[in-house]
Amino acid sequence: MKKFIQNNKALLISFMILFIFTTFLGIKVIINDKDSKDFSIKEKEMCKETLKNDPTNEICLAKINESEEKPKRDTLSTFNEILNDSEYSFIYFLAVPFLIIMSSMYEISKRFKSGEIKNRLTRESYNNYIKDVFKSTYKSVILWPLITIYVLVFSYLISGTFTISTETIAFTKEILSHPVLFIFSYLLNTILMSIFYINIGLFLVPENRNYLVTVIETAMVYFGITLTNTFFIISFVLKNIKNAENYFDFFDMYTYHDRKLIPFNLLCLGVALISSLVVYLKYRNKEKIVIKLEKK
C-alpha cells in the first residue's frame, strides 16, 4: 500500500483535490435547496399575516395556494447543476486539465531528469523503455472519469432517482431519450481529452525535464491552443460552418446543451489521435531523444 501511494502520489493528490472540490459543489446544491425551501415557508408565513389585514391581496393568495410539491430532481440535471451551474464552476473547468497535466508529468519528469535512460538502455530496448514511461504517464487518464463517476453517484444520492425529467433544458432531446448513452459518451470524452492534455506534456517534457517548468509550459500551450481555437478558428476559419462553435470551444468541454453525442465524440477522438500522432513522431527519433535526455 505504501509503495502504491508513493508511486501514485501526484495522481492521488490531484484526485483528492477534485474529490473535495466536487463534494463542496454537491453540498452547496443541497444547501441551496434547503435555503430555497426555508425561504418559501417564510414567504407563506408572511403572506398569512398580510392576508389578515388584506384578504384580497392577489400576490399572497397565489403564494398561499401554490402547490407545495416542487419539481423533483433527477440525476442528470443534478449532475449538470453541480458541475456547470455554480459560481465556482469555472474553477472546476480550469482545474481538470491542470491537475491532469500536473499528475501525469510528475514521474516522467523525474525519470527523464535522473538520466536513468543510460542504464536502462543497457538492459532493454529504447522502445520498451519508452513504453514503460508512457504507461506510467497515461495513468492520469483515469482521473477525470473517476471524478465524473463520483459526481454522478453523488447526484443520484441527492435526487434519489434516475428517472429523467422532461422539463430540464440542460440537455438535448437525444440525451434525455438516451441517458445511459450520454453517460458512456461523456466518460469517453473525458478519456480522450485527458489523452490530449497528457500528449502536450509528453511533447514538451524532453526539452527541459524540469517538473515545474514542464507543467507550466504544458498548461500555457494548452490554454494557448484553446484561446486560438476559440477566438480565431471558430470566429474566422469555421465561421460559415453551422454550429461549429458548439463543438470546437475547448474552454467548454463540460456542457451538452447544444451538442449531439456522436459528433462531439468524433471531435474528441480526432484531437486525441492527432496529438498522439505528434507524440509518436517526436519519440520515434531515438537518437534525438536519447541525446536530449542524456544532457545534464
Side-chain angles (χ1 to χ4, degrees):
M1 186 65 177
K2 185 177 179 181
K3 186 178 180 181
F4 173 81
I5 293 173
Q6 185 64 31
N7 291 340
N8 298 280
K9 182 165 55 178
L11 179 58
L12 291 172
I13 290 172
S14 298
F15 177 81
M16 288 307 301
I17 291 172
L18 287 178
F19 180 86
I20 292 169
F21 186 69
T22 52
T23 300
F24 162 74
L25 294 179
I27 292 173
K28 197 169 183 302
V29 168
I30 296 173
I31 293 172
N32 288 343
D33 277 355
K34 184 179 182 304
D35 288 345
S36 177
K37 185 177 179 180
D38 291 344
F39 182 74
S40 180
I41 293 171
K42 186 177 179 180
E43 273 190 319
K44 289 193 175 184
E45 291 300 322
M46 291 173 62
C47 277
K48 287 177 182 179
E49 292 298 320
T50 300
L51 288 172
K52 289 178 181 179
N53 300 317
D54 182 11
T56 60
N57 187 300
E58 293 182 1
I59 296 176
C60 281
L61 285 172
K63 186 67 184 175
I64 292 294
N65 293 324
E66 75 177 5
S67 174
E68 292 282 350
E69 188 175 343
K70 294 203 170 184
K72 290 184 178 179
R73 285 188 168 280
D74 64 79
T75 299
L76 288 191
S77 60
T78 304
F79 173 79
N80 180 73
E81 185 174 349
I82 290 173
L83 294 185
N84 299 317
D85 288 348
S86 167
E87 62 266 38
Y88 302 106
S89 294
F90 76 96
I91 299 176
Y92 178 76
F93 299 165
L94 296 175
V96 167
F98 183 78
L99 289 173
I100 291 171
I101 292 166
M102 188 187 82
S103 61
S104 62
M105 291 299 105
Y106 180 71
E107 186 174 343
I108 189 172
S109 297
K110 286 201 309 180
R111 294 180 68 172
F112 280 1
K113 190 173 183 178
S114 70
E116 69 169 14
I117 192 170
K118 292 180 182 178
N119 294 326
R120 292 290 294 269
L121 292 187
T122 62
R123 304 193 303 270
E124 61 183 316
S125 69
Y126 170 79
N127 287 339
N128 285 339
Y129 173 72
I130 293 299
K131 285 178 183 178
D132 181 56
V133 171
F134 278 21
K135 183 179 177 182
S136 66
T137 302
Y138 280 117
K139 285 188 296 187
S140 293
V141 163
I142 69 170
L143 179 60
W144 194 2
L146 283 178
I147 287 298
T148 299
I149 292 170
Y150 166 67
V151 176
L152 281 167
V153 172
F154 198 108
S155 301
Y156 176 76
L157 294 176
I158 293 175
S159 64
T161 178
F162 202 77
T163 303
I164 306 301
S165 171
T166 56
E167 297 178 7
T168 182
I169 61 172
F171 302 105
T172 62
K173 290 183 179 179
E174 176 192 24
I175 293 172
L176 296 177
S177 302
H178 305 92
V180 176
L181 180 62
F182 162 71
I183 293 173
F184 175 79
S185 172
Y186 193 104
L187 289 172
L188 178 60
N189 283 346
T190 64
I191 294 170
L192 294 173
M193 292 307 296
S194 295
I195 291 172
F196 171 57
Y197 305 148
I198 293 169
N199 283 342
I200 297 173
L202 285 172
F203 183 83
L204 295 172
V205 67
E207 306 303 325
N208 56 72
R209 293 156 290 156
N210 181 285
Y211 173 61
L212 185 60
V213 173
T214 298
V215 169
I216 293 172
E217 283 185 350
T218 304
M220 289 176 64
V221 169
Y222 163 69
F223 288 117
I225 291 171
T226 302
L227 285 168
T228 302
N229 191 65
T230 302
F231 297 109
F232 178 75
I233 303 296
I234 294 176
S235 300
F236 297 100
V237 180
L238 303 175
K239 65 178 181 179
N240 294 322
I241 299 178
K242 186 180 179 181
N243 298 325
E245 68 277 6
N246 294 341
Y247 296 93
F248 287 87
D249 184 0
F250 286 179
F251 271 128
D252 183 13
M253 301 303 297
Y254 311 89
T255 59
Y256 282 68
H257 178 61
D258 293 315
R259 287 167 169 161
K260 292 185 180 295
L261 299 180
I262 301 301
F264 199 27
N265 284 140
L266 290 175
L267 172 68
C268 294
L269 176 62
V271 169
L273 288 177
I274 291 170
S275 61
S276 296
L277 176 61
V278 171
V279 169
Y280 168 75
L281 294 175
K282 172 94 173 183
Y283 284 85
R284 185 178 62 172
N285 193 322
K286 173 184 174 181
E287 288 73 21
K288 282 188 177 181
I289 295 295
V290 171
I291 289 171
K292 286 179 180 178
L293 298 186
E294 287 181 344
K295 287 181 181 178
K296 294 295 183 181

